[in-house]
Amino acid sequence: MLQTKIFLRKTLTALGAPLLALLAASSQAQTPQTDTRIPAAVEAALQRAKIPREAVSLMVMDVDGKSAPRLAWRTHQPMNPASVMKLVTTYAALDQLGPAYVWRTPVFLGGPVADGALRGNLYIQGQGDPKLVLERLWLMLRRLQGMGVKVIVGDIVLDRSAFQLPAHDAAGFDNEPWRPYNASPDALLINYKAVALNIAPDAGAGVARIQYDPPMFGMENQTTVPLTATNSDCGDWHTKLQLDMSNPQRIGFNGSYPAICGDKSWSIAPAQPEQFAAKAIEGMWRDLGGKLTGTVRDGAVPQGLQPAFQVESPSLSEVVRDINKYSNNIMAQHVFLTLGMQRTGVANFETSRQVLAQWWQNRWGAAEQPVVDNGAGLSRNASITANGLAQMLQNAWVSPVMPEFVASMPIVGVDGTLRRSRSKSTGAAHLKTGTLRDSAALAGYVDGASGHRYVLVAMANHANAPAARTAWEALVDWTAAQ
């Protein structure tokens, strides 16, 4: 018996080291180790774009987080994510407000209606609806007419007090105040503070005719521009028109329009954005045949007055889809401000930043909290780490709002801001893009060839960052091949 025990002890001792080594190798084979090497195709694309590897953060990891990341490069470095920050704002909103959340814009009658006339003021109270667009404004005013109001014997009073924001310089970010993405939030936001120009060439008359929507009261916009020579190509037709915004009461042009371009649409944010709602509402009211004896002005709804009806926005899930698919800045800021408004009753950026910071800390602690600024990513100050963003995306994947969140992102090569992607992985990824003059980012989910799904985060902060697109496409393809 003693001899048997001695034999077994010697045998196990002899086999112990090789057996442990075999088990360790098997474990390593089953659990991929973090790869800090940037994939060759991505590295080459970054070199062609003249973006140093020290200017990028990259992370690719399984969506379930059960294994080490497939790629991790400078993942704890705070980076400006540009519009990818909208993923933080929209997930926080879906998680806290719920996909079915809606904004309501109440309309009040300040007097009786008799013989087609409202004898008193009409009050419209903005509550931050981010999608009170042309069609829905038309329906609001048509509903008012359906109640028998054809003439308003009084004023139209706009209550915009729900948002308490400082004065905004539309030219402050990039000196292009006429671009709609520079428009500021407004509790009563009409059509994103943008006028849609529908341009149609009339070869017989030698001009291009321009229609403006919504009709803006008091503005004398130019309705035709000359056509360019018949042999002119379309090219950069925006520049050829030579937009002239020197007169705040007029959208004009000093150039011409190439007939070969055919029909085009162009959105412009006119001057004096603080007057946009008043001009648009009065213009639409009069265009519908309505009459107004007074003016359109800012003011407050009298206490105790009950709304005649309310206009309801699309659900948050629809709004989030518009934000992420098309990177709509002003809608993202409205959603961000709504987080603070729901907590305090008054919306401002500081309150919303506090609400989002508390939400983040409750889930992932104080480490690697994002600096969200205005919630849209249209900022030089916003920042987040690749690790923090990837952690949030992993959490979102197992949350109840995952379907709405993922569906809001552009599909590679299919729609939104990624419809023209040259990635070979068409349809295999839902990703949000972000681009500023010195920042380019991409983040979301990629389906791998193995059947696994991956979280992908890529950010570059450099003067050449906008040229990182090819590198990001190479990273998507590398991830899809995993």
Side-chain angles (χ1 to χ4, degrees), residues 12-43:
L12 289 172
T13 300
L15 290 175
L19 183 60
L20 289 173
L22 180 62
L23 289 173
S26 174
S27 175
Q28 290 175 358
Q30 293 177 14
T31 306
Q33 299 301 298
T34 300
D35 194 345
T36 58
R37 297 169 299 174
I38 299 176
V42 179
E43 184 91 67

mmCIF file of all heavy atoms in Angstrom, residues 12-43:
data_model
loop_
_atom_site.group_PDB
_atom_site.id
_atom_site.type_symbol
_atom_site.label_atom_id
_atom_site.label_comp_id
_atom_site.label_asym_id
_atom_site.label_seq_id
_atom_site.Cartn_x
_atom_site.Cartn_y
_atom_site.Cartn_z
ATOM 1 N N LEU A 12 2.394 11.959 -10.366
ATOM 2 C CA LEU A 12 1.723 13.272 -10.429
ATOM 3 C C LEU A 12 2.722 14.415 -10.453
ATOM 4 O O LEU A 12 2.535 15.429 -11.131
ATOM 5 C CB LEU A 12 0.789 13.438 -9.219
ATOM 6 C CG LEU A 12 -0.470 12.568 -9.253
ATOM 7 C CD1 LEU A 12 -1.208 12.674 -7.919
ATOM 8 C CD2 LEU A 12 -1.372 12.979 -10.400
ATOM 9 N N THR A 13 3.829 14.250 -9.674
ATOM 10 C CA THR A 13 4.866 15.275 -9.659
ATOM 11 C C THR A 13 5.490 15.417 -11.027
ATOM 12 O O THR A 13 5.732 16.518 -11.528
ATOM 13 C CB THR A 13 5.941 14.935 -8.626
ATOM 14 O OG1 THR A 13 5.332 14.855 -7.336
ATOM 15 C CG2 THR A 13 7.031 16.005 -8.605
ATOM 16 N N ALA A 14 5.733 14.280 -11.701
ATOM 17 C CA ALA A 14 6.365 14.294 -13.027
ATOM 18 C C ALA A 14 5.447 14.919 -14.064
ATOM 19 O O ALA A 14 5.896 15.621 -14.971
ATOM 20 C CB ALA A 14 6.731 12.860 -13.429
ATOM 21 N N LEU A 15 4.137 14.655 -13.923
ATOM 22 C CA LEU A 15 3.185 15.169 -14.917
ATOM 23 C C LEU A 15 2.716 16.584 -14.602
ATOM 24 O O LEU A 15 2.147 17.253 -15.464
ATOM 25 C CB LEU A 15 1.959 14.245 -14.970
ATOM 26 C CG LEU A 15 2.185 12.859 -15.572
ATOM 27 C CD1 LEU A 15 0.910 12.031 -15.441
ATOM 28 C CD2 LEU A 15 2.605 12.954 -17.045
ATOM 29 N N GLY A 16 2.945 17.057 -13.359
ATOM 30 C CA GLY A 16 2.355 18.325 -12.916
ATOM 31 C C GLY A 16 2.687 19.501 -13.800
ATOM 32 O O GLY A 16 1.806 20.212 -14.288
ATOM 33 N N ALA A 17 3.958 19.778 -14.070
ATOM 34 C CA ALA A 17 4.357 20.968 -14.840
ATOM 35 C C ALA A 17 3.820 20.935 -16.263
ATOM 36 O O ALA A 17 3.207 21.902 -16.731
ATOM 37 C CB ALA A 17 5.879 21.102 -14.828
ATOM 38 N N PRO A 18 3.985 19.798 -17.015
ATOM 39 C CA PRO A 18 3.424 19.763 -18.375
ATOM 40 C C PRO A 18 1.910 19.900 -18.395
ATOM 41 O O PRO A 18 1.344 20.541 -19.274
ATOM 42 C CB PRO A 18 3.865 18.387 -18.893
ATOM 43 C CG PRO A 18 5.027 18.009 -18.045
ATOM 44 C CD PRO A 18 4.760 18.592 -16.709
ATOM 45 N N LEU A 19 1.251 19.282 -17.378
ATOM 46 C CA LEU A 19 -0.215 19.333 -17.345
ATOM 47 C C LEU A 19 -0.694 20.770 -17.116
ATOM 48 O O LEU A 19 -1.624 21.246 -17.763
ATOM 49 C CB LEU A 19 -0.723 18.412 -16.239
ATOM 50 C CG LEU A 19 -2.246 18.298 -16.105
ATOM 51 C CD1 LEU A 19 -2.849 17.755 -17.404
ATOM 52 C CD2 LEU A 19 -2.620 17.403 -14.930
ATOM 53 N N LEU A 20 -0.045 21.484 -16.178
ATOM 54 C CA LEU A 20 -0.410 22.878 -15.926
ATOM 55 C C LEU A 20 -0.177 23.747 -17.142
ATOM 56 O O LEU A 20 -0.973 24.632 -17.463
ATOM 57 C CB LEU A 20 0.394 23.422 -14.730
ATOM 58 C CG LEU A 20 0.008 22.869 -13.350
ATOM 59 C CD1 LEU A 20 0.989 23.364 -12.291
ATOM 60 C CD2 LEU A 20 -1.412 23.283 -13.014
ATOM 61 N N ALA A 21 0.923 23.481 -17.840
ATOM 62 C CA ALA A 21 1.213 24.267 -19.045
ATOM 63 C C ALA A 21 0.156 24.030 -20.116
ATOM 64 O O ALA A 21 -0.271 24.961 -20.811
ATOM 65 C CB ALA A 21 2.606 23.904 -19.590
ATOM 66 N N LEU A 22 -0.272 22.766 -20.251
ATOM 67 C CA LEU A 22 -1.297 22.425 -21.227
ATOM 68 C C LEU A 22 -2.619 23.108 -20.906
ATOM 69 O O LEU A 22 -3.289 23.655 -21.792
ATOM 70 C CB LEU A 22 -1.478 20.905 -21.274
ATOM 71 C CG LEU A 22 -2.524 20.369 -22.271
ATOM 72 C CD1 LEU A 22 -2.106 20.743 -23.693
ATOM 73 C CD2 LEU A 22 -2.681 18.864 -22.131
ATOM 74 N N LEU A 23 -2.990 23.091 -19.609
ATOM 75 C CA LEU A 23 -4.233 23.741 -19.205
ATOM 76 C C LEU A 23 -4.179 25.239 -19.439
ATOM 77 O O LEU A 23 -5.146 25.862 -19.874
ATOM 78 C CB LEU A 23 -4.507 23.452 -17.722
ATOM 79 C CG LEU A 23 -4.913 22.016 -17.376
ATOM 80 C CD1 LEU A 23 -4.978 21.824 -15.860
ATOM 81 C CD2 LEU A 23 -6.247 21.667 -18.017
ATOM 82 N N ALA A 24 -3.019 25.855 -19.164
ATOM 83 C CA ALA A 24 -2.870 27.302 -19.367
ATOM 84 C C ALA A 24 -3.002 27.642 -20.839
ATOM 85 O O ALA A 24 -3.651 28.617 -21.220
ATOM 86 C CB ALA A 24 -1.517 27.772 -18.825
ATOM 87 N N ALA A 25 -2.369 26.824 -21.702
ATOM 88 C CA ALA A 25 -2.447 27.081 -23.143
ATOM 89 C C ALA A 25 -3.871 26.949 -23.637
ATOM 90 O O ALA A 25 -4.335 27.730 -24.472
ATOM 91 C CB ALA A 25 -1.531 26.095 -23.888
ATOM 92 N N SER A 26 -4.592 25.920 -23.101
ATOM 93 C CA SER A 26 -5.982 25.729 -23.502
ATOM 94 C C SER A 26 -6.826 26.921 -23.087
ATOM 95 O O SER A 26 -7.683 27.397 -23.833
ATOM 96 C CB SER A 26 -6.527 24.452 -22.856
ATOM 97 O OG SER A 26 -7.904 24.313 -23.113
ATOM 98 N N SER A 27 -6.585 27.448 -21.873
ATOM 99 C CA SER A 27 -7.351 28.602 -21.384
ATOM 100 C C SER A 27 -7.090 29.821 -22.246
ATOM 101 O O SER A 27 -8.002 30.566 -22.598
ATOM 102 C CB SER A 27 -6.967 28.887 -19.932
ATOM 103 O OG SER A 27 -7.608 30.052 -19.479
ATOM 104 N N GLN A 28 -5.808 30.033 -22.638
ATOM 105 C CA GLN A 28 -5.467 31.177 -23.478
ATOM 106 C C GLN A 28 -6.114 31.067 -24.847
ATOM 107 O O GLN A 28 -6.528 32.059 -25.439
ATOM 108 C CB GLN A 28 -3.952 31.289 -23.616
ATOM 109 C CG GLN A 28 -3.283 31.727 -22.312
ATOM 110 C CD GLN A 28 -1.773 31.731 -22.418
ATOM 111 O OE1 GLN A 28 -1.220 31.370 -23.458
ATOM 112 N NE2 GLN A 28 -1.096 32.117 -21.338
ATOM 113 N N ALA A 29 -6.226 29.841 -25.348
ATOM 114 C CA ALA A 29 -6.832 29.644 -26.666
ATOM 115 C C ALA A 29 -8.317 29.959 -26.639
ATOM 116 O O ALA A 29 -8.884 30.455 -27.608
ATOM 117 C CB ALA A 29 -6.613 28.194 -27.125
ATOM 118 N N GLN A 30 -8.959 29.706 -25.471
ATOM 119 C CA GLN A 30 -10.397 29.932 -25.380
ATOM 120 C C GLN A 30 -10.736 31.379 -25.057
ATOM 121 O O GLN A 30 -11.806 31.855 -25.382
ATOM 122 C CB GLN A 30 -10.988 29.017 -24.294
ATOM 123 C CG GLN A 30 -10.912 27.540 -24.663
ATOM 124 C CD GLN A 30 -11.424 26.665 -23.545
ATOM 125 O OE1 GLN A 30 -12.051 27.148 -22.624
ATOM 126 N NE2 GLN A 30 -11.154 25.368 -23.621
ATOM 127 N N THR A 31 -9.788 32.110 -24.407
ATOM 128 C CA THR A 31 -10.034 33.498 -24.017
ATOM 129 C C THR A 31 -9.072 34.408 -24.767
ATOM 130 O O THR A 31 -7.901 34.490 -24.400
ATOM 131 C CB THR A 31 -9.844 33.679 -22.498
ATOM 132 O OG1 THR A 31 -10.669 32.740 -21.820
ATOM 133 C CG2 THR A 31 -10.186 35.102 -22.089
ATOM 134 N N PRO A 32 -9.515 35.105 -25.830
ATOM 135 C CA PRO A 32 -8.628 35.967 -26.596
ATOM 136 C C PRO A 32 -8.009 37.046 -25.702
ATOM 137 O O PRO A 32 -8.662 37.617 -24.839
ATOM 138 C CB PRO A 32 -9.568 36.605 -27.637
ATOM 139 C CG PRO A 32 -10.758 35.700 -27.681
ATOM 140 C CD PRO A 32 -10.884 35.108 -26.333
ATOM 141 N N GLN A 33 -6.741 37.319 -25.921
ATOM 142 C CA GLN A 33 -6.052 38.344 -25.165
ATOM 143 C C GLN A 33 -6.215 39.696 -25.849
ATOM 144 O O GLN A 33 -6.358 39.784 -27.066
ATOM 145 C CB GLN A 33 -4.558 37.990 -25.046
ATOM 146 C CG GLN A 33 -4.306 36.666 -24.326
ATOM 147 C CD GLN A 33 -4.866 36.668 -22.916
ATOM 148 O OE1 GLN A 33 -4.451 37.457 -22.083
ATOM 149 N NE2 GLN A 33 -5.808 35.776 -22.651
ATOM 150 N N THR A 34 -6.179 40.748 -25.041
ATOM 151 C CA THR A 34 -6.297 42.084 -25.605
ATOM 152 C C THR A 34 -5.166 42.342 -26.578
ATOM 153 O O THR A 34 -4.001 42.109 -26.272
ATOM 154 C CB THR A 34 -6.258 43.131 -24.484
ATOM 155 O OG1 THR A 34 -7.330 42.892 -23.600
ATOM 156 C CG2 THR A 34 -6.357 44.534 -25.062
ATOM 157 N N ASP A 35 -5.514 42.832 -27.771
ATOM 158 C CA ASP A 35 -4.533 43.131 -28.797
ATOM 159 C C ASP A 35 -4.342 44.644 -28.839
ATOM 160 O O ASP A 35 -5.282 45.384 -29.104
ATOM 161 C CB ASP A 35 -5.006 42.620 -30.159
ATOM 162 C CG ASP A 35 -3.867 42.607 -31.181
ATOM 163 O OD1 ASP A 35 -2.832 43.257 -30.911
ATOM 164 O OD2 ASP A 35 -4.029 41.968 -32.227
ATOM 165 N N THR A 36 -3.147 45.104 -28.526
ATOM 166 C CA THR A 36 -2.869 46.536 -28.559
ATOM 167 C C THR A 36 -2.277 46.960 -29.899
ATOM 168 O O THR A 36 -1.912 48.115 -30.065
ATOM 169 C CB THR A 36 -1.902 46.927 -27.430
ATOM 170 O OG1 THR A 36 -0.687 46.178 -27.574
ATOM 171 C CG2 THR A 36 -2.518 46.642 -26.064
ATOM 172 N N ARG A 37 -2.175 46.046 -30.837
ATOM 173 C CA ARG A 37 -1.662 46.384 -32.162
ATOM 174 C C ARG A 37 -2.799 46.877 -33.051
ATOM 175 O O ARG A 37 -3.819 46.222 -33.187
ATOM 176 C CB ARG A 37 -0.996 45.165 -32.802
ATOM 177 C CG ARG A 37 0.231 44.640 -32.047
ATOM 178 C CD ARG A 37 0.660 43.300 -32.600
ATOM 179 N NE ARG A 37 -0.418 42.316 -32.434
ATOM 180 C CZ ARG A 37 -0.363 41.073 -32.928
ATOM 181 N NH1 ARG A 37 0.679 40.680 -33.626
ATOM 182 N NH2 ARG A 37 -1.365 40.240 -32.731
ATOM 183 N N ILE A 38 -2.603 48.011 -33.666
ATOM 184 C CA ILE A 38 -3.604 48.514 -34.599
ATOM 185 C C ILE A 38 -3.561 47.659 -35.849
ATOM 186 O O ILE A 38 -2.478 47.396 -36.385
ATOM 187 C CB ILE A 38 -3.315 49.997 -34.937
ATOM 188 C CG1 ILE A 38 -3.392 50.847 -33.668
ATOM 189 C CG2 ILE A 38 -4.289 50.508 -35.983
ATOM 190 C CD1 ILE A 38 -3.038 52.294 -33.869
ATOM 191 N N PRO A 39 -4.700 47.166 -36.343
ATOM 192 C CA PRO A 39 -4.707 46.342 -37.555
ATOM 193 C C PRO A 39 -3.964 47.023 -38.699
ATOM 194 O O PRO A 39 -4.029 48.257 -38.861
ATOM 195 C CB PRO A 39 -6.192 46.174 -37.866
ATOM 196 C CG PRO A 39 -6.854 46.300 -36.528
ATOM 197 C CD PRO A 39 -6.057 47.308 -35.775
ATOM 198 N N ALA A 40 -3.258 46.223 -39.495
ATOM 199 C CA ALA A 40 -2.376 46.765 -40.534
ATOM 200 C C ALA A 40 -3.113 47.687 -41.499
ATOM 201 O O ALA A 40 -2.611 48.753 -41.869
ATOM 202 C CB ALA A 40 -1.714 45.615 -41.294
ATOM 203 N N ALA A 41 -4.329 47.292 -41.920
ATOM 204 C CA ALA A 41 -5.072 48.112 -42.881
ATOM 205 C C ALA A 41 -5.470 49.447 -42.272
ATOM 206 O O ALA A 41 -5.480 50.480 -42.950
ATOM 207 C CB ALA A 41 -6.311 47.364 -43.356
ATOM 208 N N VAL A 42 -5.792 49.433 -40.986
ATOM 209 C CA VAL A 42 -6.159 50.671 -40.297
ATOM 210 C C VAL A 42 -4.927 51.554 -40.135
ATOM 211 O O VAL A 42 -4.969 52.771 -40.377
ATOM 212 C CB VAL A 42 -6.781 50.361 -38.923
ATOM 213 C CG1 VAL A 42 -7.138 51.648 -38.189
ATOM 214 C CG2 VAL A 42 -8.002 49.465 -39.080
ATOM 215 N N GLU A 43 -3.816 50.937 -39.735
ATOM 216 C CA GLU A 43 -2.554 51.679 -39.582
ATOM 217 C C GLU A 43 -2.147 52.345 -40.888
ATOM 218 O O GLU A 43 -1.763 53.522 -40.927
ATOM 219 C CB GLU A 43 -1.454 50.725 -39.120
ATOM 220 C CG GLU A 43 -0.127 51.385 -38.845
ATOM 221 C CD GLU A 43 0.017 51.839 -37.405
ATOM 222 O OE1 GLU A 43 0.084 50.986 -36.517
ATOM 223 O OE2 GLU A 43 0.043 53.069 -37.206
#
